[in-house]
Amino acid sequence: LLSWFREPAPASCCDRHLVDRRWMGPGELAYHKSPNHRPCTRDYTRVFRTEFPGRLWFSAEYLVWATTGQSVPPLVTSSPLGTATGSIGVVGAPTTSVLFGGSEFNGPMRSGARLTAGFWFTPQQETGVEANWAGLAIAEESLATASSGGSPWLARPYVDAVAGQPAAVVVPGSTTIPGDASLVEQAVAANLRTQFGSVDVLYRKNLLSGEDFHRRYLVGGFRYLMLDDELAASFTTRETDTPGGNPLNTATATDSFRTLSQFYGGEFGMIEKWWHHRWSLQVLGKVGLGASTIGTTIAGSTNVEDSSGTTVTYPGGVLAQPTNPGNEQSFFAAVGEFGVTADYAIWSQFR
């Protein structure tokens, strides 16, 4: 072992005819055999090549992904003062405006990043392991607005399950709508949030032998994918007996919906890579097979506080009702990935 460590490096490690292919990967070897490579920037001794840091590698990518927008139903509406009681906030009524929802959110282009780290078990990069994380920036849409005296009216629309017709909640916890003068304030907030992430860990093994500038890696490992969608809305009203008078009650209705989709599976594929001087070309194909779980959580409540300060809490909000708390399901799924990458060596250790 000592004689192996002490064996000297080539007399001139930067001479492209004397570069020792046993102690460097194909990319570095191709670089030093190119006619326009730069002078050495590090010591190419075998001792350095056996050290742990000498076989670590890292890469970083900026992602711009096209994603499908989320279709969100109308969640918040408004109507002007003086609108007929049965038409306030009702979707489809000529005086109703949709303030949040009723369209697609979070599409089509989103930014993100992918970070990869790996380690080669051999200096020639025959076998190794790698792990990578990819994620998109959290996409978020929100609304927060308030109104006084019904100018304008704010409402939470829904579809009446019995009549099958559009309707709206103007005062949470109540089926009646007070006169304009007795309504002091309405406040509504809605938020839509989504995030996506991926992690995989792979083992690489070269299937070709005797090739300096061509590798055919068989890869296999584990893959995890996550898509998390959250939608929440709250609606608060405060009434008085007369404008500016004694409070009658304060009511707040909240709705919360969350869907977490996760994929767990084994992954396998092939990576073909060629090097020529400072350039390289890689073609990648992978497929993951496993289980996908989708868990939906639905929660809602309505709090009503009267003039004495007594608060009563009712299960269910406007759309989130106790009859539908959510569910979870699992099924077989497949995830595929295909990629083509070209890179250029700025110097031997940076591409």
Side-chain angles (χ1 to χ4, degrees):
L1 180 64
L2 289 175
S3 63
W4 180 65
F5 269 92
R6 290 172 179 169
E7 188 173 343
S12 175
C13 64
C14 290
D15 189 317
R16 63 192 181 102
H17 299 294
L18 297 178
V19 170
D20 192 343
R21 59 173 46 86
R22 294 172 297 173
W23 303 102
M24 59 180 61
E28 196 168 8
L29 180 62
Y31 172 86
H32 286 292
K33 285 185 174 292
S34 67
N36 62 342
H37 71 277
R38 293 187 178 185
C40 272
T41 57
R42 53 180 277 195
D43 179 20
Y44 292 101
T45 63
R46 293 190 178 190
V47 174
F48 184 92
R49 287 292 167 183
T50 62
E51 292 179 359
F52 182 86
R55 286 181 253 162
L56 283 172
W57 60 273
F58 306 92
S59 72
E61 302 166 67
Y62 170 71
L63 305 179
V64 180
W65 279 21
T67 61
T68 302
Q70 294 176 282
S71 180
V72 179
L75 294 179
V76 181
T77 55
S78 70
S79 296
L81 185 66
T83 301
T85 299
S87 299
I88 295 177
V90 175
V91 175
T95 57
T96 298
S97 299
V98 177
L99 302 183
F100 190 86
S103 62
E104 286 195 348
F105 290 126
N106 303 328
M109 306 303 293
R110 293 170 60 186
S111 294
R114 176 157 52 192
L115 305 177
T116 306
F119 178 73
W120 296 112
F121 297 134
T122 62
Q124 303 94 335
Q125 301 179 3
E126 298 286 346
T127 58
V129 293
E130 67 176 75
N132 82 69
W133 167 88
L136 300 183
I138 296 176
E140 194 166 12
E141 298 282 347
S142 61
L143 169 75
T145 186
S147 173
S148 296
S151 181
W153 290 101
L154 300 177
R156 291 287 314 280
Y158 67 97
V159 175
D160 189 304
V162 177
Q165 297 296 319
V169 171
V170 181
V171 177
S174 174
T175 58
T176 61
I177 300 175
D180 296 352
S182 65
L183 183 65
V184 173
E185 183 180 60
Q186 292 177 296
V188 64
N191 181 264
L192 173 67
R193 185 175 184 269
T194 181
Q195 59 179 325
F196 170 81
S198 169
V199 174
D200 66 345
V201 180
L202 295 173
Y203 173 79
R204 286 194 185 197
K205 180 176 176 58
N206 180 32
L207 300 181
L208 299 178
S209 59
E211 294 281 348
D212 285 337
F213 307 117
H214 182 199
R215 294 284 189 272
R216 179 174 296 150
Y217 293 111
L218 178 66
V219 298
F222 169 79
R223 180 145 200 175
Y224 170 77
L225 295 165
M226 178 275 294
L227 177 63
D228 190 3
D229 295 321
E230 295 181 63
L231 178 63
S234 65
F235 186 32
T236 300
T237 63
R238 184 164 64 92
E239 301 173 64
T240 62
D241 52 3
T242 59
N246 299 317
L248 294 175
N249 64 65
T250 300
T252 301
T254 60
D255 292 324
S256 175
F257 301 87
R258 183 188 182 194
T259 299
L260 178 61
S261 304
Q262 300 179 94
F263 171 84
Y264 303 86
E267 186 175 48
F268 61 92
M270 196 80 71
I271 298 176
E272 201 90 14
K273 192 166 185 176
W274 300 265
W275 291 264
H276 179 70
H277 294 168
R278 291 191 175 199
W279 288 97
S280 78
L281 177 67
Q282 173 179 286
V283 179
L284 171 150
K286 295 187 296 182
V287 62
L289 303 175
S292 182
T293 64
I294 300 178
T296 302
T297 303
I298 301 174
S301 64
T302 301
N303 298 326
V304 178
E305 181 182 356
D306 61 21
S307 57
S308 66
T310 302
T311 300
V312 180
T313 300
Y314 303 94
V318 175
L319 301 179
Q321 296 297 315
T323 53
N324 183 18
N327 58 61
E328 183 172 317
Q329 55 182 325
S330 300
F331 49 87
F332 175 80
V335 176
E337 180 180 348
F338 174 77
V340 178
T341 305
D343 64 50
Y344 178 81
I346 306 301
W347 65 81
S348 62
Q349 298 296 310
F350 185 79
R351 308 186 70 88

